[in-house]
């Protein structure tokens, strides 16, 4: 729903855009209040609310609210209920085929919605050695954070992965400022600790890059750059393959931007590996 509103902003009237901005600023809570309260908050008329709901493809405001409630339910669905939803009426194809088809659809829709200008801007930020980069992920997305950290620290200096315990985060926050970048990963069953970390980092002027799902983590409110990736798969667990696609493309672009510098770092790293015989050639 959030993406639909953003995609159709240009076709709305001034008062409808005003209403849309209120919905997006406190999404999805703003849309779940009464039509009169929403209209009052946006300083528009109730007919404007109804008109915008119809422009978004709904018969009226109640249908829009039903869609928002369904979306909230999807956000908090636990692993068992997610599996049951996929199992009901599942086709006869092998799980490998069904999973591959679901992931391919996720990737296609993710790329359709991804602004290339935003991708380029984030790649430029991550390639800037004057900016210290901090990385952290949640319970499921920590592997994505690990992957980004492992590659960025080879390509450039000044990359820190936050410890897994929120108790140690204040000592990282202490060094964050306007020149810092905090890259966070947070998908549904969003983690409150991550949202608090983002808020505190934003208060220190840190730029936040967020990788999240199609519904959008609460961190969206304070993040300057947000990548929405589709994550649903025929499983109890969400798939982060679409996120990994964006990450690998970003890593490639950052290395291309720092080709000479990264070559020198990689050569030094390989020499260290050779000296310690950590890896066999």
């Amino acid at each position: 729903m959030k993406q639909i509103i953003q995609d159709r902003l240009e076709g709305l009237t001034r008062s409808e855009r005003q209403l849309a901005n209120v919905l997006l600023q406190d999404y999805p809570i703003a849309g779940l209040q009464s039509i009169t309260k929403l209209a009052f908050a946006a300083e528009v008329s109730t007919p404007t609310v109804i008109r915008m709901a119809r422009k978004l493809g709904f018969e009226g405001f109640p249908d829009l609210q039903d869609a928002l409630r369904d979306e909230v339910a999807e956000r908090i669905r636990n692993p068992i209920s997610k599996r049951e939803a996929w199992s009901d009426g599942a086709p006869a194809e092998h799980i490998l085929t069904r999973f591959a088809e679901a992931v391919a659809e996720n990737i296609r829709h993710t790329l359709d919605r991804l602004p290339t200008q935003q991708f380029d801007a984030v790649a430029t930020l991550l390639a800037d050695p004057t900016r210290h980069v901090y990385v952290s992920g949640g319970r499921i997305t920590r592997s994505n954070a690990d992957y980004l950290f492992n590659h960025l620290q080879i390509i450039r200096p000044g990359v820190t992965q936050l410890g897994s315990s929120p108790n140690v985060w204040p000592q990282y926050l202490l060094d964050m400022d306007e020149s810092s970048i905090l890259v966070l990963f947070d998908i549904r069953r969003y983690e409150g600790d991550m949202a608090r970390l983002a808020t505190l980092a934003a208060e220190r002027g840190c730029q936040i890059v967020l990788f999240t799902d199609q519904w959008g983590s609460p961190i969206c409110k304070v993040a300057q750059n947000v990548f929405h990736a589709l994550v649903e798969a025929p499983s109890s667990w969400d798939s982060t393959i679409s996120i990994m696609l964006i990450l690998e493309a970003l890593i490639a672009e950052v290395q291309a931007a720092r080709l000479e510098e990264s070559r020198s770092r990689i050569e030094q790293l390989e020499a260290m590996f050779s000296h310690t015989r950590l890896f066999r050639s």
Side-chain angles (χ1 to χ4, degrees):
M1 169 76 73
K2 192 173 190 178
Q3 191 65 49
I4 292 173
I5 297 173
Q6 292 170 333
D7 290 344
R8 301 190 184 179
L9 274 176
E10 293 301 317
L12 302 179
T13 65
R14 184 186 62 79
S15 58
E16 289 166 353
R17 282 198 300 271
Q18 190 170 309
L19 170 61
N21 287 331
V22 169
L23 282 170
L24 293 172
Q25 284 167 9
D26 192 20
Y27 186 90
I29 304 302
L32 295 175
Q33 58 190 328
S34 71
I35 188 171
T36 52
K37 286 185 178 180
L38 177 58
F40 179 79
E43 298 181 349
V44 299
S45 66
T46 52
T48 298
V49 179
I50 298 168
R51 190 165 58 247
M52 193 191 78
R54 289 174 177 164
K55 283 189 177 181
L56 294 177
F58 300 97
E59 291 187 7
F61 186 64
D63 284 343
L64 184 149
Q65 285 194 314
D66 286 344
L68 285 174
R69 291 189 189 98
D70 290 343
E71 191 170 301
V72 171
E74 284 293 322
R75 287 187 181 200
I76 62 175
R77 181 181 287 176
N78 64 44
I80 298 302
S81 61
K82 276 190 276 188
R83 177 170 178 77
E84 289 171 349
W86 275 99
S87 298
D88 291 345
E93 288 93 343
H94 192 277
I95 180 60
L96 279 171
T97 303
R98 285 191 285 130
F99 208 97
E101 289 173 352
V103 167
E105 280 293 291
N106 285 350
I107 290 173
R108 185 172 67 81
H109 288 300
T110 296
L111 292 178
D112 285 345
R113 298 177 178 185
L114 195 153
T116 54
Q117 309 96 308
Q118 177 176 270
F119 178 94
D120 294 342
V122 171
T124 300
L125 283 174
L126 296 179
D128 185 350
T130 67
R131 293 179 173 274
H132 197 106
V133 178
Y134 297 86
V135 181
S136 186
R139 186 170 62 93
I140 300 298
T141 54
R142 178 155 292 276
S143 59
N144 302 109
D146 288 343
Y147 189 89
L148 178 63
F149 169 72
N150 287 335
H151 287 77
L152 279 187
Q153 68 168 343
I154 296 173
I155 297 170
R156 51 155 293 167
V159 184
T160 300
Q161 184 169 27
L162 274 62
S164 58
S165 172
N167 293 333
V168 302
W169 289 350
Q171 61 204 52
Y172 297 108
L173 284 161
L174 199 60
D175 294 326
M176 293 182 190
D177 57 24
E178 291 85 354
S179 67
S180 305
I181 303 166
L182 175 60
V183 183
L184 295 175
F185 298 83
D186 191 33
I187 62 176
R188 66 178 170 181
R189 301 199 88 185
Y190 313 111
E191 301 184 33
D193 288 336
M194 296 281 287
R196 285 188 285 274
L197 169 64
T199 299
L200 290 170
E203 289 172 357
R204 298 186 68 82
C206 181
Q207 284 215 42
I208 297 171
V209 177
L210 172 66
F211 289 85
T212 186
D213 52 33
Q214 58 262 49
W215 302 284
S217 159
I219 297 171
C220 289
K221 294 178 182 178
V222 294
Q224 286 78 23
N225 291 283
V226 180
F227 291 104
H228 290 276
L230 274 68
V231 300
E232 287 191 294
S235 166
S236 292
W237 313 104
D238 288 325
S239 166
T240 62
I241 291 176
S242 295
I243 291 176
M244 286 301 299
L245 173 68
I246 303 170
L247 279 186
E248 293 203 4
L250 267 177
I251 290 165
E253 186 65 13
V254 172
Q255 182 171 14
R258 293 184 48 79
L259 194 57
E260 291 306 315
E261 298 89 341
S262 65
R263 178 182 288 120
S264 174
R265 285 177 66 85
I266 291 170
E267 287 173 352
Q268 292 180 58
L269 189 61
E270 289 297 324
M272 292 177 189
F273 287 150
S274 177
H275 181 72
T276 60
R277 297 182 179 177
L278 187 59
F279 297 113
R280 295 177 65 184
S281 59

